[in-house]
Amino acid sequence: MRQRARRVRQPTTLSSDVLLASLRAAGEETRLRILALLSEGELSVSDLTDILGQSQPRISRHLKLLTEAGLVRRSREGAWAFFRLDETGPGGAFAASLAAWLDRGDPVLAADRERLAAVRATRAEAAQSYFASVARDWDRLRGLHVPDHAVEAAVEDAVGEGSPGAMLDLGTGTGRMLEKIAPKFGRAVGVDANHAMLAVARANLEQAGLSRVELRQGDIYALPFARGSFDLVVIHQVLHFLDDPGRAVREAAAMLAPGGRLVVVDFAPHEMEFLRSEHAHRRLGFSRQQIAGWFAEAGLACDLAREITLADGGSGQLPVMLWRGRDRRIQADPPVRAVNLEVA
């Protein structure tokens, strides 16, 4: 599948030390092949050993050198380690430039890409197998509320045009919100605590041509990012699973750059107790005032509160709400709008 265009920050200048370290790290056949593969998206050590046909210790050694030179960034996901070009620094931008200069018709690199395609096909098959195992319960839950397309349209409307900056999807699950929103931003990151769900998301994003979106295993209460790193944070159908949703909102708000936005989608209050016992829901929905109150405590102004409905007014047995909070450090506090979003 054709890779969607991706904004890569190009360095205007590099210090001689950075340039020499980058050249030394990249100036070896296997490491250059690794950079070419990572320019296509994030890969694990196991992926690279399968593609390159080399031992894990040897691949790990090459990755260590690339990481130390600032060309590649490493992240942990349980017992797994994933690697990608470090697009946040000058070394990563230099590596992306090197990969762009390589001849895609080179037989060695073409064979690497063929094996990469096989790795991605295996991921896609695993994702399909997972959904086949949970399809019955999945469809039952989805049938209780407005269709997904209505929720997705509401989120896209709340997000607007996006920006060259960064977005963060908390509790990314299958990666659906990233599929819809990531193309609007220069950088997109998804976080989930569940390794199996991240595997599904990774396969789905690759099929959608978004293999360069970053996925991280992490704790929603202690996110592994610097404060103020994102222009948009999304929490879609996650808070009702949490023991302390207010704390999650505060942590999400801390991720926002000045003037950034937090979009929350979750159920309005309901009485479907079976969701606690059968589907691990800790909270049976949230009121408009409850989410707006958490926003205020986190320094956000709630400028949008919507119940998502269809054109005929239907909302299903489980009403779905959307809230948007804006960081107060730049924008004045606009009044809360309480409206119903109608989607045909």
Side-chain angles (χ1 to χ4, degrees), residues 70-88:
L71 305 183
V72 167
R73 182 151 48 95
R74 177 181 183 271
S75 63
R76 296 291 304 179
E77 189 174 300
W80 292 60
F82 285 87
F83 294 83
R84 64 185 306 108
L85 297 187
D86 189 352
E87 296 174 347
T88 63

Side-chain angles (χ1 to χ4, degrees), residues 1-6 40 120 179 182-183 202-213:
M1 181 172 291
R2 185 170 177 262
Q3 178 73 38
R4 297 186 187 182
R6 181 73 171 166
E40 302 284 341
R120 289 177 171 171
E179 286 186 49
R202 194 166 278 113
N204 288 343
L205 291 167
E206 286 170 352
Q207 286 187 318
L210 291 167
S211 59
R212 293 182 185 172
V213 172

